[in-house]
Amino acid sequence: MERLLELLRGNARLSVEEIAVSLGLTALEVAKRMTELEAAGVILGYQAVVDGEKLGPRGVTALIEVRITPEAGGGFDRIAKRIAQYDQVRSCYLMSGGYDLALMVEGTDLYDVARFVAEKLSTLDVVLSTATLFQLRVYKHDGFVLNTDLREDRLPVSP
Amino acid sequence: MSLPHKMNLENKLSRQLSGIPRSGIRDFFELVIGRSDVISLGVGEPDKATPWPIREAAIRSLEKGQTSYTSNLGLESLRVGISGYVEEHFGVSYDPKKEILVTVGVSEALDLAFRAVLDPGDEVIFHQPCYVSYGPTITMAYGVGVPINTRLEDNFTLRAEDVEKAITPRTKVIALNFPTNPTGAVEPPEELEKIAALCVKYDLLCFTDEIYSELLYDQAKHVSIVSFPGMRERTVLLHGFSKAFAMTGWRLGYACAPPVLLEAMMKIHQYCMLCAPITSQIAAIEALKLGATAYEPMRQSYEERRNFVVKRLNEMGLNCFNPGGAFYVFPDVSCTGLTGREFALQLLEEHSVAVVPGEAFGPSGATCVRCCYATAPDLLVKAMDAMEIFVKKHRK
């Protein structure tokens, strides 16, 4: 992947100037490239990476495996795009293997997710079955390993 | 019966040892230790842990019960791996059976090399500012260290003409370390070639510590002095895993040298160390398998941090050249009217940022401080902000 994107994926709050210094480019070049990537839809947005556990007990996340009947002509696209419209669905992927769509769903509690599955998802004609797997703990999220700060173990001064 | 006198232990110490000062780094370390609020640019190691596949290989080996001694030379499969790696990176081929010795860090290898060749009074030329152990290691081997000062205006590279001036009939070894700790200097190949020619002309040995050879920037390619004509037969090439593979605490290095030199080093190693730790050796085998995929992301990130730090230091008015390798910058702080030591002490006192006084690396670094930029980017920003305020306040 382009280094500019790697840097932004690590820290989206880097300023154009900071990135330019790091990469040995001018701020203008970096700004231009970022605009290009945004316009091309490569960069979709800039968001904070949040450790939800630190916020205390609020909300649940579930992985829902969905089997669906593909449509003649459209395949999985139309139905996948339709399911992705729900606010509860944070991510929606077409998968190989034993099921078709993987959804990451967020709800206020267990029942909230259950309601979404029972009332919205399962009622769609093309949905054959669902399996709901609740997330218990997060150890690594989007490349960030949680709760492993080794800094304290290092000597402050060494040869 | 009279009571025995209380023993004076100072008098019992070797005279050779008492001539050696304490490491300036250790001195400074004691001021910093115990303070939890310090942002440290004082370390000489990567800020990341060893890449996971390397750690995992070590864990597996412990699970399997691989906890024994190894051959004095080191595991054969490791030496075969080193041979291939050295040929690829340094352009010189060594026989894993009799020309490669696995050691406990480059520090041990350096000690072995000096002890293997030096008789009392033999002179060793080395360049300063340099890593803290060169002078003392030479002295402990009963040699005489002959430091050559490198200059800020040369970006701390070594001039071959200075080397030639320092050569006497007692000169036996020229010791080099490029890229250099603490300056980050990289020796230009054309100057390296001249130094190689001097080694041949005066029939000198060359010990070259190339521990930072993977950490080069601006698309530069590493050139080792051993690759020049007539050098392989007189060179001890020292390398290890600490810096590129973030393996400082594993203590694993190696020496490549012609059989006669290597056998002499091996003689000392087998009696004083026996072998390098097996767990570290197994980890190193994995490191070599990973090669550049393990260190290239770190190298790239260091280059970006270097760009940032050099720009900030120059903007705040410190004279700092753009180093081509390693992960240190060595700014001159004279514009503050402070020596490197005063600068480091007061910066620590007033802003809780630790840098190492340049004098720890030899008197020619007295107006400088060493800052390691293998530190997390967010901390580098904080450290540079603090230094900027500090420099503004003191600037003459």
Side-chain angles (χ1 to χ4, degrees):
Chain A
M1 192 187 296
E2 184 175 334
R3 185 62 186 158
L4 169 61
L5 286 172
E6 284 178 351
L7 287 177
L8 287 171
R9 290 225 308 173
N11 180 5
R13 294 193 67 191
L14 287 173
S15 71
V16 167
E17 289 76 19
E18 285 168 323
I19 295 170
V21 171
S22 291
L23 298 182
L25 301 168
T26 65
L28 203 66
E29 287 169 325
V30 173
K32 184 164 167 284
R33 183 64 189 141
M34 281 174 69
T35 310
E36 281 169 11
L37 289 165
E38 286 162 14
V42 177
I43 294 177
L44 295 171
Y46 303 87
Q47 52 181 213
V49 184
V50 176
D51 180 355
E53 282 179 34
K54 295 258 165 63
L55 294 172
R58 64 180 73 187
V60 293
T61 301
L63 164 69
I64 306 180
E65 302 171 353
V66 188
R67 286 176 58 235
I68 55 180
T69 317
E71 294 174 324
F76 295 99
D77 287 354
R78 194 187 64 89
I79 189 70
K81 280 178 182 165
R82 183 169 165 194
I83 289 175
Q85 292 295 321
Y86 291 108
D87 286 342
Q88 291 95 331
V89 177
R90 292 287 296 169
S91 313
C92 174
Y93 312 103
L94 178 65
M95 310 296 286
S96 65
Y99 59 94
D100 305 305
L101 296 181
L103 313 180
M104 292 306 295
V105 171
E106 282 180 4
T108 51
D109 55 32
L110 221 97
Y111 305 105
D112 189 34
V113 176
R115 255 193 319 273
F116 169 73
V117 175
E119 294 171 14
K120 309 284 189 205
L121 209 53
S122 300
T123 54
L124 295 171
D125 290 345
V126 288
V127 170
L128 296 172
S129 71
T130 64
T132 304
L133 297 83
F134 285 99
Q135 172 189 301
L136 301 181
R137 283 211 75 177
V138 181
Y139 296 96
K140 189 175 184 180
H141 182 73
D142 272 0
F144 289 81
V145 177
L146 278 70
N147 302 318
T148 48
D149 195 353
L150 295 172
R151 279 177 197 174
E152 291 166 11
D153 297 336
R154 301 179 82 209
L155 295 174
V157 176
S158 66
Chain B
M1 200 176 81
S2 62
L3 283 168
H5 287 293
K6 195 169 160 30
M7 190 181 232
N8 184 341
L9 290 177
E10 294 289 338
N11 281 349
K12 300 286 180 193
L13 296 179
S14 140
R15 246 169 285 152
Q16 195 67 8
L17 193 70
S18 58
I20 298 173
R22 265 161 61 96
S23 157
I25 284 200
R26 231 182 92 196
D27 236 17
F28 198 67
F29 172 76
E30 277 163 20
L31 291 172
V32 181
I33 195 86
R35 296 185 49 164
S36 58
D37 57 332
V38 172
I39 297 177
S40 181
L41 309 184
V43 293
E45 62 181 337
D47 64 323
K48 290 268 169 56
T50 309
W52 174 247
I54 299 173
R55 284 187 274 159
E56 192 178 38
I59 293 166
R60 289 250 164 85
S61 79
L62 289 171
E63 283 174 347
K64 278 197 275 180
Q66 291 177 285
T67 56
S68 56
Y69 293 129
T70 71
S71 143
N72 296 130
L73 288 171
L75 291 168
E76 186 170 355
S77 53
L78 175 57
R79 282 179 280 130
V80 169
I82 289 169
S83 176
Y85 186 84
V86 167
E87 181 154 10
E88 191 187 328
H89 286 256
F90 300 91
V92 186
S93 159
Y94 287 97
D95 180 353
K97 286 198 179 349
K98 47 185 192 234
E99 294 185 314
I100 295 172
L101 173 66
V102 178
T103 58
V104 178
V106 170
S107 293
E108 192 219 346
L110 197 66
D111 180 43
L112 297 178
F114 284 131
R115 284 206 271 164
V117 306
L118 293 182
D119 283 316
D122 284 346
E123 292 175 6
V124 179
I125 293 172
F126 63 103
H127 51 99
Q128 267 186 343
C130 66
Y131 178 58
V132 292
S133 78
Y134 287 104
T137 308
I138 294 162
T139 307
M140 286 190 283
Y142 298 91
V144 177
V146 181
I148 298 178
N149 290 338
T150 55
R151 309 164 179 88
L152 179 61
E153 69 254 34
D154 295 338
N155 293 349
F156 293 105
T157 57
L158 179 60
R159 292 183 190 175
E161 58 179 83
D162 288 346
V163 174
E164 187 156 24
K165 279 184 215 148
I167 293 172
T168 75
R170 291 307 306 263
T171 306
K172 200 168 214 176
V173 182
I174 295 180
L176 301 175
N177 169 226
F178 292 107
T180 307
N181 175 4
T183 60
V186 174
E187 187 74 351
E190 56 277 14
E191 208 63 21
L192 211 53
E193 190 174 8
K194 286 186 206 160
I195 296 169
L198 290 175
C199 290
V200 174
K201 180 178 168 191
Y202 293 96
D203 197 24
L204 304 175
L205 294 167
C206 178
F207 295 171
T208 179
D209 168 359
E210 302 184 12
I211 187 71
Y212 291 99
S213 64
E214 289 89 348
L215 303 181
L216 280 184
Y217 309 122
D218 312 312
Q219 280 124 38
K221 205 177 163 335
H222 182 66
V223 177
S224 172
I225 193 163
V226 74
S227 63
F228 290 104
M231 288 308 289
R232 190 192 180 286
E233 65 188 74
R234 63 183 69 252
T235 297
V236 179
L237 172 65
L238 304 163
H239 198 37
F241 296 84
S242 291
K243 310 299 180 177
F245 294 98
M247 291 176 71
T248 51
W250 301 80
R251 309 304 309 124
L252 206 72
Y254 53 88
C256 302
V260 174
L261 279 175
L262 198 93
E263 183 54 36
M265 290 169 66
M266 162 74 174
K267 207 187 270 180
I268 306 168
H269 173 76
Q270 78 181 67
Y271 293 130
C272 76
M273 199 61 74
L274 213 161
C275 67
I278 185 169
T279 312
S280 300
Q281 293 193 49
I282 289 166
I285 293 171
E286 185 64 25
L288 290 177
K289 276 188 205 151
L290 293 171
T293 58
Y295 61 75
E296 179 55 23
M298 294 192 267
R299 190 207 63 79
Q300 185 168 35
S301 177
Y302 297 148
E303 178 163 357
E304 289 160 7
R305 296 181 220 182
R306 177 205 63 163
N307 293 346
F308 167 74
V309 167
V310 169
K311 180 162 181 283
R312 288 292 304 269
L313 290 173
N314 281 309
E315 277 172 1
M316 65 182 84
L318 299 181
N319 188 357
C320 177
F321 82 105
N322 192 21
F327 38 53
Y328 310 104
V329 286
F330 203 62
D332 185 305
V333 299
S334 319
C335 73
T336 59
L338 303 171
T339 65
R341 185 173 176 77
E342 290 163 346
F343 185 96
L345 287 172
Q346 291 182 33
L347 182 66
L348 179 67
E349 197 53 46
E350 294 173 28
H351 293 279
S352 299
V353 172
V355 298
V356 183
E359 67 175 17
F361 309 96
S364 56
T367 61
C368 301
V369 295
R370 186 191 75 174
C371 312
C372 172
Y373 53 80
T375 302
D378 57 320
L379 295 182
L380 277 180
V381 172
K382 282 186 194 157
M384 288 301 120
D385 289 349
M387 273 175 86
E388 187 175 334
I389 295 168
F390 180 82
V391 170
K392 243 183 213 150
K393 182 182 148 194
H394 290 274
R395 209 157 152 193
K396 297 284 178 242

